[in-house]
């Protein structure tokens, strides 16, 4: 559960400088239930439950202060979409809090088509928004509900060679496919553990042949489908050995059709497979040093094979070479555009610019937000 507390502008500078030591109990388990243990906890945070999925009146979930200063800072200064170069230098940012065009409540998945249009899923507004590369709003689609073109918690997305959009629908256990204007094409999946079934589908990615790979946060496996949803293959099981998973998050495919999966808890690593599921390598461990992760989420690979990973609870992005050797990182806890509160997903355009979604509102551990 995310807590909101409202601070005046006098406290903003101290937020930027504050450091938070890693503590697994604080990071992984709800502060609402102080008696929870690792054996008894039933909720971890909003991304693992349906608590923060689409709501009837989205603005009711945003408690803005009476202070004009705080309200203006959050609605006008905090941005959900942040654009960087490959070295982590801020280029642009956009998206304020709300439910209007170009606004978000829980910006999550992000993907970019061949024309460098940017698509962003909103897990609370239950929609997908489309922008040009400069953040100008183009269109949006989706509403709360069950069935074609409706969502309860849209998460990660990816694009095929025809610029069709594939959306992982976390709460309703399916994958939905749309054209670039948001027209529904098809959908597949249901709750279960069989072939073509999901528990909590999170990541979705496509290879050069438009095969679709889906990671499941609860089922420790990757499933592979054709572009119409016909099951092809699957691999993975629970564990800490090579090729095994504990808590998958996102997935991406590079130009060689190698499949990269972020295994975000306990294993805290990136695992790489060929298109048939053969394990190739992995790197990373739990922690806050270079090359370590706490809840790694979004992942993308550039044309040179460099790998960019969103290290969510360390509030940063890390960059590695193709062998997993650390290169650089950027980001820190704070409300400025080159900082993060809850970075989630990542995508890259044709010019090599990197886009990161920040779910915002408040940091996981600290009792403050950007008011």
């Amino acid at each position: 559960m995310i807590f909101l507390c409202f601070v005046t502008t006098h406290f903003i500078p101290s937020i930027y400088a504050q450091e938070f030591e890693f503590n697994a109990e604080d990071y992984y388990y709800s502060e609402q239930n102080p008696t929870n243990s690792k054996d008894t906890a039933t909720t971890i945070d909003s991304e693992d439950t349906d608590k923060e999925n689409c709501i009837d009146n989205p603005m009711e979930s945003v408690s803005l202060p009476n202070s004009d200063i705080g309200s203006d800072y959050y609605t006008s200064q905090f941005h959900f979409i942040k654009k960087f170069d490959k070295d982590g230098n801020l280029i642009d940012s956009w998206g304020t809090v709300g439910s209007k065009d170009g606004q978000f409540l829980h910006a999550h998945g992000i993907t970019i088509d061949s024309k460098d249009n940017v698509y962003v899923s909103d897990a609370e507004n239950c929609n997908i928004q489309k922008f040009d590369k400069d953040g100008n709003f183009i269109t949006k689609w989706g509403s709360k509900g069950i069935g074609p073109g409706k969502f309860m918690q849209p998460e990660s997305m990816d694009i095929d060679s025809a610029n069709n959009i594939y959306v992982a629908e976390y709460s309703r256990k399916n994958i939905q496919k749309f054209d670039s204007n948001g027209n529904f094409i098809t959908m597949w999946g249901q709750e279960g553990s069989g072939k073509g079934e999901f528990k909590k589908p999170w990541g979705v990615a496509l290879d050069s042949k438009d095969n679709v790979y889906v990671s499941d946060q609860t089922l420790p496996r990757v499933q592979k489908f054709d572009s119409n949803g016909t099951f092809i293959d699957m691999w993975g099981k629970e564990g800490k050995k090579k090729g095994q998973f504990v808590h998958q998050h996102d997935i991406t495919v590079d130009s060689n059709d190698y499949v990269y999966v972020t295994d975000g808890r306990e294993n805290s690593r990136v695992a790489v497979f060929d298109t048939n599921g053969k394990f190739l390598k992995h790197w990373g461990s739990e922690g806050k040093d270079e090359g370590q992760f706490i809840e790694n989420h979004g992942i993308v690979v550039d044309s040179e094979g460099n790998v960019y990973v969103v290290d969510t609870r360390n509030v940063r992005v890390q960059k590695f070479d193709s062998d997993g050797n650390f290169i650089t990182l950027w980001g820190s806890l704070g409300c400025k555009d080159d900082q993060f509160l809850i970075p989630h997903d990542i995508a890259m355009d044709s010019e090599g610019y990197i886009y990161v979604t920040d779910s915002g509102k408040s940091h996981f551990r600290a009792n403050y937000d950007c008011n």
Side-chain angles (χ1 to χ4, degrees), residues 249-317:
H249 275 130
D250 218 336
I251 190 168
T252 195
V253 180
D254 69 11
S255 59
N256 296 312
D257 283 345
Y258 292 154
V259 181
Y260 297 68
V261 182
T262 55
D263 193 358
R265 292 189 184 142
E266 295 186 43
N267 283 339
S268 299
R269 65 193 183 195
V270 174
V272 187
F273 305 85
D274 71 13
T275 188
N276 297 313
K278 178 184 177 181
F279 173 81
L280 300 176
K281 57 190 168 186
H282 65 220
W283 70 85
S285 61
E286 188 175 75
K288 61 180 182 179
D289 294 333
E290 295 175 353
Q292 294 185 313
F293 308 106
I294 303 177
E295 197 84 0
N296 45 320
H297 279 85
I299 185 168
V300 70
V301 183
D302 67 21
S303 59
E304 299 172 346
N306 297 309
V307 184
Y308 303 78
V309 182
V310 178
D311 188 2
T312 296
R313 302 204 187 210
N314 279 325
V315 287
R316 64 190 184 185
V317 174

Side-chain angles (χ1 to χ4, degrees), residues 17 26 43 66 166 183-184 188 194 204 213 233 242 265 268 270 287 298:
D26 287 339
T43 180
N66 293 327
Y166 298 73
N183 297 305
F184 176 82
W188 71 87
V204 60
Y213 303 80
D233 197 5
K242 294 179 179 180
R265 292 189 184 142
S268 299
V270 174

Side-chain angles (χ1 to χ4, degrees), residues 44-67:
I44 296 177
D45 56 55
S46 63
E47 71 197 21
D48 292 318
T49 71
D50 295 339
K51 283 187 176 182
E52 293 206 13
N53 64 8
C54 310
I55 47 184
D56 292 325
N57 184 358
M59 285 307 296
E60 288 182 356
S61 73
V62 180
S63 301
L64 296 176
N66 293 327
S67 165

